[in-house]
């Protein structure tokens, strides 16, 4: 019996409209929920909005609106964005709802009854952007928040506190017992080290503004916006309530096999430390996993209002369709890693993988060979008579389906798509080598039928394997195969495992191509419509492409081999004192002893962002001293006008592996 599965996104602040960062998290959660539903699990997918707090109150004032009117107005673009992106959430929570308010107060009372709440005076720095207190140590010069680069505010008021300090040990014990609680692993290490340093009690109420949930029995105070917000995951299900009173809570919280919170790495601490501590205090079950994905830049730049590159998803959906954008999100960046949203990469992937890969496979067989030679019908074949080449493709399909499933379960979407694309490529190669157009000319109907059936059935498998990422296109693909749309059903596992589901005689349909290729002028006009210009680096690269390389510009292969390039894993990273640029890294380059490397990247990477990453180093560079420290190698990084990116590898290859 498949057990319930619960997946959530962060609830987004409504101070601004949705952008592709929000879309990225929401699409990921939708992909998870669609995958689990396909496997027959009762699944609940929650998203929603964070509508309280000082930040929202101030934005409402700027717009000269009452806070409630402001948040009501801002909710619509989020709902629309998720609809446009095919994100089929089951719940959409707004923290201003009465049900949520009651549950926040219920949580407060449970924590209070445990003796974990007390009243005291408080004075500290506060960043309104983060809605979070900051320690002096965290601030940048000029009292700036390290995330928002804006001045923090000094706050002094009477406040209720949560005895977070009591939970240092229980949290560490919990982490120990649940080694998958935070993903990716490197982020879990950061959380553990933070908690190991000891936790300070947390201020959980405010009196200097009104826009929030009143504290029970002391309405002068409003509940701290993060305590309020985190509770959404439980309140949306109607809990915590007596058994039977909140069926969704019973099913998807209490009895769930998985409770997975997908969040950006910016808010990991709130989810991996505060949230479990609140729940422990209240005696409520803890989630099973917090998945912290990486940060997206846009065409190499940080998204920010001042740069005017806040990218809303709507125009992209209009230009490419929801499924293409979803595919790009899931394929381009390893989930968990930082990445870049680039319009050009999107176009490249569209043409290279969707149009030339999957679209081409479809066109060659369904729209051409089957239509012209088999009256558009799925042919009948004798499975016992299949050739080795056919069997090899069937084996490939089995391996790809199993691998993709494993990766979807681990939320490694890019890997799931890699595995699936191995099947797409194998099927295209199969068509190249079996040459069905020649079989048609030779009038070899039996072999032609075998080849066509094998490809059509592969396409049927692909229409399921790609469904979580591209639901609409997959149903279009199925319609062309003469199959009904996929209808996930509880307790029925629809993942492909048995060959031969496609019935002989089924009438295929040739509609418009699934992924028509864009030519250069179409690409240019799309980019123009989206207002994308070449960056100076791209202009330079294009100019270089045009100037022919002379013989003298080449080096011999042996020259290249002199450079010992190796993969290394960053074990430790810290800033070099008094240096603006240098980070000191301790790496494992597979030599049985660590190496120290100094890299001038501290303006682009925080040390904790590097720990656990696989990087590429020049291992045979003469050691040299920088700021009195020896550097035993060089880290490779690429840079353009917008910043710098450390080179890595996209699979977990062994440290010390040569790169060539
Ligand atoms: O933090 N790249 O809301 P928020 C990738 N209300 N993901 C991004 C992104 C980017 N550039 N920008 C935003 C809040 N995100 C709180 C959450 S939850 C109980 C309360 C995504 O509107 C990412 O998931 O600032 C990030 O964690 C979230 O949006 C922050 O959204």
């Amino acid at each position: 019996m498949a057990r319930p599965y619960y997946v959530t996104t962060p609830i987004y602040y409504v101070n601004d409209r949705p952008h592709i960062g929000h879309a990225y998290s929401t699409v990921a959660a939708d992909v998870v929920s669609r995958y689990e539903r396909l496997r027959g699990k009762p699944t609940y997918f929650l998203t929603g909005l964070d509508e309280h707090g000082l930040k929202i109150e101030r934005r409402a004032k700027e717009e000269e609106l009452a806070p409630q009117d402001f948040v009501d107005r801002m909710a619509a673009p989020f709902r629309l964005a998720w609809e446009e992106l095919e994100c089929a959430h089951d719940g959409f929570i707004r923290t201003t709802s009465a049900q949520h308010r009651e549950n926040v107060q219920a949580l407060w009372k449970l924590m209070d009854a445990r003796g974990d709440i007390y009243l005291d005076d408080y004075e500290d720095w506060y960043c309104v952007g983060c809605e979070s207190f900051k320690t002096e140590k965290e601030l940048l010069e000029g009292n700036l928040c390290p995330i928002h680069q804006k001045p923090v505010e000094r706050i002094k008021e009477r406040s209720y506190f949560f005895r977070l300090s009591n939970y240092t040990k229980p949290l560490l014990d919990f982490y120990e017992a649940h080694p998958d609680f935070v993903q990716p692993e490197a982020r879990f290490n950061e959380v553990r080290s933070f908690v190991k340093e000891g936790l300070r009690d947390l201020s959980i109420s405010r009196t200097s503004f009104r826009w929030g949930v009143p504290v029970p029995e002391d309405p002068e105070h409003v509940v701290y916006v993060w305590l309020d917000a985190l509770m959404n995951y439980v309140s949306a299900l109607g809990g915590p309530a007596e058994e039977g009173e909140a069926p969704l809570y019973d099913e998807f919280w209490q009895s769930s096999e998985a409770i997975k919170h997908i969040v950006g790495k910016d808010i990991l601490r709130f989810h991996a430390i505060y949230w479990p501590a609140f729940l422990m205090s209240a005696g409520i079950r803890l989630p099973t996993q917090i998945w912290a994905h990486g940060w997206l830049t846009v065409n190499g730049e940080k998204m920010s209002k001042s740069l005017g590159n806040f990218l809303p998803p709507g125009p992209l959906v209009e230009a490419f369709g929801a499924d293409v954008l979803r595919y790009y999100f899931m394929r381009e960046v390893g989930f968990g890693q930082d990445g870049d949203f680039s319009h050009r990469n999107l176009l490249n992937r569209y043409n290279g993988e969707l149009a030339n890969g999957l679209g081409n496979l479809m066109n060659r067989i369904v729209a051409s060979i089957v239509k012209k030679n088999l009256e558009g019908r799925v042919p009948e074949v004798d499975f016992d008579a299949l050739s080795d080449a056919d069997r090899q493709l069937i084996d490939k399909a089995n391996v790809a389906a199993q691998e993709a499933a494993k990766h979807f379960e681990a939320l490694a979407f890019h890997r799931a798509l890699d595995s699936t694309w191995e099947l797409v490529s194998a099927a295209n190669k199969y068509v190249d080598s079996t040459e069905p157009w020649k079989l048609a000319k030779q009038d070899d109907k039996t072999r032609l039928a075998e080849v066509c059936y094998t490809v059509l059935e592969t396409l049927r498998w692909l229409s399921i394997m790609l469904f979580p990422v591209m639901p609409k296109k997959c149903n279009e693909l199925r319609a062309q195969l003469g199959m009904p749309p996929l209808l996930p059903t509880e307790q029925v596992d629809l993942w492909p495992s048995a060959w031969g589901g496609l019935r002989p005689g089924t009438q295929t349909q040739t509609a418009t191509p699934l992924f028509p290729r864009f030519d250069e002028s179409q690409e240019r006009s799309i980019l123009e419509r989206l207002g994308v210009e070449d960056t100076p680096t791209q202009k330079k690269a294009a100019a270089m492409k045009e100037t022919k390389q002379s013989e003298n510009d080449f080096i011999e292969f042996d020259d290249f081999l002199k450079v010992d390039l190796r993969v290394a894993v960053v074990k430790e990273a810290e800033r070099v004192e008094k240096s603006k640029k240098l980070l000191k890294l301790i790496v494992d380059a597979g030599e049985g002893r660590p190496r120290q490397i100094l890299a001038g990247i501290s303006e682009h990477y925080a040390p904790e962002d590097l720990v656990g990453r696989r990087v590429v180093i020049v291992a045979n560079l003469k050691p040299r001293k920088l700021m009195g420290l020896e550097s035993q190698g060089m880290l490779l990084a690429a840079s353009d006008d917008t910043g710098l990116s450390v080179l890595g590898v996209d699979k977990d290859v062994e440290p010390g592996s040569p790169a060539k």
Side-chain angles (χ1 to χ4, degrees), residues 10-13 19 21-22 24-25 50 226 229-230 232-233 263-264 266-267 271 293-296 303:
I11 49 168
Y12 307 111
Y13 287 128
H19 57 65
H22 304 127
Y24 182 63
S25 311
D50 194 350
W226 268 102
L230 287 161
N232 89 85
Y233 302 127
V263 298
D266 56 324
I267 53 173
H271 284 79
H293 67 65
W295 210 241
L296 290 186
M303 256 193 294

Side-chain angles (χ1 to χ4, degrees), residues 413-604:
F413 311 112
H414 59 299
R415 297 221 165 103
L417 290 170
D418 278 346
S419 305
T420 310
W421 244 259
E422 280 180 21
L423 179 57
V424 173
S425 307
N428 268 320
K429 280 195 193 119
Y430 170 87
V431 176
D432 293 342
S433 65
T434 51
E435 301 181 309
W437 49 93
K438 279 197 186 155
L439 300 172
K441 275 198 195 131
Q442 291 157 3
D443 217 16
D444 185 350
K445 283 261 170 164
T446 312
R447 187 63 195 134
L448 181 68
E450 286 166 358
V451 169
C452 288
Y453 188 91
T454 307
V455 178
L456 290 172
E457 176 67 0
T458 302
L459 283 165
R460 184 185 75 85
W461 278 45
L462 287 168
S463 78
I464 307 170
M465 291 162 66
L466 286 168
F467 183 79
V469 177
M470 297 192 283
K472 227 172 159 176
K473 288 283 178 194
C474 283
N475 277 338
E476 282 172 30
L477 193 164
R478 292 173 69 80
Q480 297 197 15
L481 293 178
M483 300 283 298
L486 269 179
L487 258 191
T489 312
E490 278 184 22
Q491 305 307 336
V492 181
D493 186 354
L494 295 179
W495 199 248
S497 62
W499 193 256
L502 204 54
R503 290 241 185 88
T506 306
Q507 183 67 52
T508 65
Q509 312 287 334
T510 40
T512 42
L514 276 186
F515 302 105
R517 229 191 116 77
F518 295 137
D519 62 25
E520 255 184 52
S521 83
Q522 282 169 313
E523 285 191 5
R524 230 175 296 123
S525 89
I526 291 177
L527 293 177
E528 250 168 48
R529 238 183 309 140
L530 292 170
V532 186
E533 280 177 17
D534 270 349
T535 64
T537 313
Q538 282 164 335
K539 283 186 190 143
K540 227 187 291 167
M544 269 170 70
K545 215 169 139 192
E546 276 171 20
T547 51
K548 280 219 172 102
Q549 269 183 312
S550 78
E551 269 297 304
N552 298 339
D553 291 334
F554 292 110
I555 60 166
E556 295 296 332
F557 187 58
D558 283 351
D559 294 330
F560 168 70
L561 283 184
K562 284 184 197 150
V563 186
D564 179 4
L565 292 175
R566 269 193 243 165
V567 173
V569 177
V570 179
K571 293 291 179 192
E572 294 166 34
E574 61 180 64
R575 291 205 158 81
V576 171
E577 239 179 86
K578 301 209 181 89
S579 166
K580 242 174 87 183
K581 291 203 171 143
L582 285 181
L583 284 187
K584 184 176 96 180
L585 309 176
I586 304 296
V587 304
D588 171 4
E591 300 156 310
R593 62 184 164 78
R595 253 180 202 253
Q596 172 169 297
I597 291 185
L598 301 175
I601 54 174
S602 84
E603 287 166 316
H604 306 275

